[in-house]
Amino acid sequence: MELRCSVLVLALAAVLSVAAAYDPLDPNGNITIKWDIMSWTPDGYVAVVTINNFQMYRHIMSPPGWTVGWTWAKKEVIWSMVGAQATEQGDCSKFKGNIPHCCKRTPAVVDLLPGVPYNQQIANCCRGGALAAYGQDPAAAVAAFQVSVGQAGTTNRTVKVPKNFTLLGPGPGYTCGPGKVVPSTVFLSPDRRRKTQALMTWNVTCTYSQHLASKYPSCCVSFSSFYNDTIVPCRKCACGCEHKTCVQGDSKRLAVTGKQARGRHHGDKEAALLQCTTHMCPVRVHWHVKLNYKEYWRAKIAITNFNYRMNYTQWTLVAQHPNLDNITEVFSFDYKPVVAYGSINDTAMFYGLKYFNDQLMEAGPHGNVQSEVLMRKDATKFTFKQGWAFPRKVYFNGDECQMPPPDAYPYLPNSAPPAGAAAASPASVIIVAFLALLLMRDLHWTDLLVLELLFHQGRRRRRRNSSASAYSDADSDTEWEDPEDGVGSLFVMEGTPEKEPFCEQLSEQFEAYIYGQRKETSFKT
Ligand SMILES: *[C@@H]1O[C@H](CO)[C@@H](O)[C@H](O)[C@H]1NC(C)=O
Ligand SMILES: *[C@@H]1O[C@H](CO)[C@@H](O)[C@H](O)[C@H]1NC(C)=O
Ligand SMILES: *[C@@H]1O[C@H](CO)[C@@H](O)[C@H](O)[C@H]1NC(C)=O
Ligand SMILES: *[C@@H]1O[C@H](CO)[C@@H](O)[C@H](O)[C@H]1NC(C)=O
Ligand SMILES: *[C@@H]1O[C@H](CO)[C@@H](O)[C@H](O)[C@H]1NC(C)=O
Ligand SMILES: *[C@@H]1O[C@H](CO)[C@@H](O)[C@H](O)[C@H]1NC(C)=O
Ligand SMILES: *[C@@H]1O[C@H](CO)[C@@H](O)[C@H](O)[C@H]1NC(C)=O
Ligand SMILES: *[C@@H]1O[C@H](CO)[C@@H](O)[C@H](O)[C@H]1NC(C)=O
Ligand SMILES: *[C@@H]1O[C@H](CO)[C@@H](O)[C@H](O)[C@H]1NC(C)=O
């Protein structure tokens, strides 16, 4: 009996993982495509098609943006479109005089680019296919176009709802249900004194499944902490190593690939040009447990782009951690709680500040964004033990990132470190002179290196308590005085470090912390 039960559960799980597009952190997330017939024409109708992204943190990036497709139920044609266009006209040879915009039985429609003439625009159109996440920018989470359909019915009984809707965003991943006739949409006039309604309305709901989008994750997570020297890197081949080519992250190749990058327009993953790493992920999220205060603790998040061919615009990061219900301050990212189940408040969405870091630049010296999160401790829950301080789940742009195996999480040293060990604090302070020396040489790191530069505007105000209590859960080694103090750049490097960011900053006064072990260094001139 028990056996049969578990077999059933297993089978169910298998079915679910393939078919169900269920995101536990965003259970109601979907994209709806709504058709409102606004008027009848001699041989068909004019409809306004509205695409609403109700997903909290998954957006559609431009270029190339969304593509909506369907199969006509009869012999319909598209006479004209406003605010979007069919990608192919198809065979319109039967038509004399007026030639339709599209005669294909399965049209594929894409958005127009910003800046098209006004007579080709309608409200919410022409964003190059970009569709923001609802949680980030509800006003930009909607797209619309108008379509004039011929050879269709001209009453609500003869019109047939198109079939087999598809949505690319921009790659695969979305599955759309059938179009369902729903009560006609009611529109309110701008002065809110008159209501009009569509002649007929149908809705299509599309949901996302990461399994359909790609076989492998598209991002991975690495960890480090102030209390343990070990850096936990991304899993090897976290994003799949088969059939993947990559380039070494040196500047000569960069110049070449940069040129290639300009000519192309498709955002598909096949076209990614990755920097060689052990994980082979286009994006890595690093979570560093940075400081322990009496009542607060601080984590640092750095997102690194390893794809030379992708600028991630309007990126989002979602992290699940029990202490995210008590965020006191988030530096240099925007932030919103994601409360999927009313009472459980352990998930937060982070995204870039507009015009500052809402774009994660292509791989290279500028291909990273970072933030610090200050959380208030809940004395009953807080601990550094058993990797508690690390996130449970991380999503980048709505795709779940591959986490390190649970047994690899950095853990607290078992015994209080002896006096000698305390001096060799994991956060070794290295002063400018040494760092400059370090940077002048072509260092070769074979392992992950986490290096933090702190820039000081004026006097350092943080008091460090060098006693062994640094590791304890309840006490703190540092007094928290000024939230701005100690906010610096975290460089998480693999292989040969990018040198540019350091050279730029060399003139400034800074202090560097190096976390983790250097496995091998080789010096070239
Ligand atoms: C789609 O999302 C909206 C908004 O969250 C929700 O009201 C609706 O029930 C969802 N539809 C489906 C079919 O899940
Ligand atoms: C079609 O229109 C008639 C009235 O013209 C209305 O009673 C009926 O509910 C409409 N059907 C649909 C599916 O909208
Ligand atoms: C819709 O798709 C299904 C499965 O892909 C196919 O069997 C069916 O023929 C399609 N319908 C139309 C009208 O193309
Ligand atoms: C149809 O979709 C719109 C959003 O596009 C939504 O507001 C409306 O509630 C949906 N209608 C039904 C019956 O699901
Ligand atoms: C990324 O953006 C920068 C600046 O806007 C641009 O120079 C670069 O070509 C872009 N890269 C890609 C791959 O689109
Ligand atoms: C969830 O936590 C955030 C961060 O502290 C807080 O701003 C928000 O009010 C909380 N929401 C709920 C529903 O408890
Ligand atoms: C945040 O933590 C403080 C102190 O532990 C507690 O009083 C407060 O209720 C917490 N807030 C939330 C939203 O959990
Ligand atoms: C740090 O954590 C690792 C596990 O990631 C563990 O193997 C190591 O012993 C820890 N270091 C100390 C000093 O406890
Ligand atoms: C440093 O930590 C020790 C042990 O917890 C404590 O007794 C001492 O008061 C602390 N010093 C400061 C300056 O906070």
Side-chain angles (χ1 to χ4, degrees):
M1 188 63 188
E2 232 172 61
L3 186 72
R4 211 189 305 154
C5 245
S6 59
V7 167
L8 191 72
V9 166
L10 272 181
L12 209 68
V15 168
L16 282 176
S17 69
V18 175
Y22 180 74
D23 181 348
L25 297 186
D26 188 13
N28 296 317
N30 62 41
I31 293 185
T32 64
I33 305 170
K34 181 168 64 98
W35 290 53
D36 289 309
I37 296 186
M38 308 305 284
S39 61
W40 302 114
T41 60
D43 73 335
Y45 57 84
V46 175
V48 171
V49 180
T50 312
I51 305 169
N52 274 292
N53 184 5
F54 289 118
Q55 299 177 108
M56 285 306 288
Y57 44 76
R58 192 172 295 111
H59 70 314
I60 295 181
M61 214 177 355
S62 166
W66 52 262
T67 304
V68 169
W70 60 84
T71 306
W72 289 118
K74 301 197 286 185
K75 298 251 183 290
E76 290 91 336
V77 293
I78 299 175
W79 281 116
S80 62
M81 293 187 88
V82 182
Q85 61 185 1
T87 54
E88 283 181 67
Q89 185 179 30
D91 179 9
C92 293
S93 60
K94 284 198 315 226
F95 291 86
K96 300 188 180 72
N98 269 351
I99 308 286
H101 174 76
C102 173
C103 301
K104 280 186 73 98
R105 194 148 181 266
T106 55
V109 171
V110 295
D111 200 5
L112 298 178
L113 298 176
V116 295
Y118 283 112
N119 64 0
Q120 291 174 37
Q121 296 191 12
I122 70 164
N124 293 319
C125 86
C126 315
R127 298 190 179 122
L131 199 56
Y134 191 78
Q136 181 174 3
D137 188 355
V142 53
F145 60 87
Q146 182 187 300
V147 58
S148 174
V149 183
Q151 301 188 7
T154 54
T155 69
N156 71 3
R157 267 171 299 124
T158 51
V159 163
K160 288 278 171 285
V161 177
K163 302 198 180 322
N164 284 5
F165 284 92
T166 57
L167 171 66
L168 297 177
Y174 287 95
T175 314
C176 299
K180 281 201 188 114
V181 175
V182 298
S184 297
T185 308
V186 174
F187 303 98
L188 211 56
S189 70
D191 62 5
R192 303 188 149 264
R193 295 174 60 199
R194 178 178 150 76
K195 284 179 185 169
T196 54
Q197 72 181 66
L199 304 176
M200 188 179 177
T201 300
W202 59 79
N203 265 11
V204 179
T205 303
C206 306
T207 50
Y208 183 81
S209 158
Q210 199 173 334
H211 300 282
L212 290 177
S214 99
K215 192 172 155 199
Y216 294 107
S218 52
C219 52
C220 64
V221 182
S222 57
F223 293 145
S224 59
S225 65
F226 71 86
Y227 54 80
N228 183 320
D229 248 351
T230 309
I231 299 174
V232 181
C234 281
R235 283 193 202 197
K236 209 170 173 189
C237 296
C239 298
C241 287
E242 313 153 32
H243 315 300
K244 278 201 172 173
T245 53
C246 64
V247 291
Q248 297 297 335
D250 65 59
S251 43
K252 227 181 281 163
R253 284 289 189 100
L254 246 164
V256 175
T257 56
K259 222 180 279 165
Q260 288 173 351
R262 240 147 265 148
R264 48 171 306 285
H265 282 289
H266 303 283
D268 50 313
K269 282 172 185 157
E270 268 65 51
L273 185 67
L274 296 183
Q275 182 183 322
C276 295
T277 54
T278 51
H279 50 77
M280 292 295 271
C281 289
V283 169
R284 183 194 54 214
V285 178
H286 186 84
W287 180 285
H288 174 65
V289 178
K290 179 178 164 171
L291 281 171
N292 182 24
Y293 309 106
K294 275 199 180 70
E295 289 177 4
Y296 300 89
W297 64 290
R298 199 190 267 261
K300 186 147 197 162
I301 303 169
I303 312 174
T304 310
N305 184 0
F306 292 101
N307 187 351
Y308 288 111
R309 285 183 178 156
M310 180 72 93
N311 287 330
Y312 292 93
T313 50
Q314 287 197 298
W315 57 267
T316 59
L317 181 82
V318 170
Q320 191 181 22
H321 186 281
N323 215 162
L324 289 175
D325 65 348
N326 224 331
I327 290 180
T328 303
E329 196 156 2
V330 174
F331 303 91
S332 56
F333 283 178
D334 238 326
Y335 143 80
K336 226 175 234 173
V338 176
V339 188
Y341 302 100
S343 57
I344 307 171
N345 187 10
D346 63 351
T347 308
M349 171 171 83
F350 303 94
Y351 49 99
L353 301 173
K354 224 168 189 159
Y355 311 118
F356 174 57
N357 58 3
D358 60 340
Q359 171 153 281
L360 172 57
M361 297 295 271
E362 62 194 35
H366 304 292
N368 72 85
V369 288
Q370 37 189 297
S371 166
E372 287 194 9
V373 182
L374 187 68
M375 283 164 277
R376 195 185 169 94
K377 290 180 184 173
D378 176 344
T380 60
K381 285 191 289 185
F382 181 85
T383 174
F384 279 129
K385 293 197 181 94
Q386 270 126 22
W388 187 88
F390 295 97
R392 312 301 186 257
K393 267 184 192 205
V394 172
Y395 288 57
F396 179 77
N397 276 358
D399 278 339
E400 193 170 348
C401 302
Q402 171 94 66
M403 305 293 280
D407 58 342
Y409 284 32
Y411 55 75
L412 275 175
N414 299 336
S415 48
S425 155
S428 336
V429 183
I430 289 161
I431 28 179
V432 182
F434 174 63
L435 199 79
L437 187 83
L438 197 98
L439 297 170
M440 290 303 118
R441 312 199 178 214
D442 202 354
L443 279 182
H444 181 69
W445 308 89
T446 56
D447 206 359
L448 200 64
L449 171 76
V450 178
L451 189 147
E452 183 180 25
L453 297 186
L454 296 183
F455 305 97
H456 299 295
Q457 253 80 50
R459 207 167 63 86
R460 189 163 175 237
R461 287 168 58 196
R462 202 150 35 77
R463 270 181 293 135
R464 204 152 238 284
N465 190 341
S466 61
S467 82
S469 73
Y471 299 126
S472 90
D473 289 344
D475 288 320
S476 70
D477 64 329
T478 330
E479 291 292 330
W480 181 52
E481 289 184 354
D482 177 2
E484 287 298 339
D485 188 33
V487 176
S489 297
L490 190 71
F491 296 96
V492 187
M493 297 175 295
E494 283 176 81
T496 316
E498 300 287 351
K499 276 168 293 165
E500 287 84 345
F502 305 108
C503 297
E504 270 173 27
Q505 311 287 11
L506 263 178
S507 56
E508 304 200 27
Q509 245 239 302
F510 61 84
E511 180 181 342
Y513 290 80
I514 293 186
Y515 301 91
Q517 297 294 353
R518 222 166 41 185
K519 280 279 159 58
E520 178 199 303
T521 54
S522 69
F523 294 88
K524 294 182 200 161
T525 34

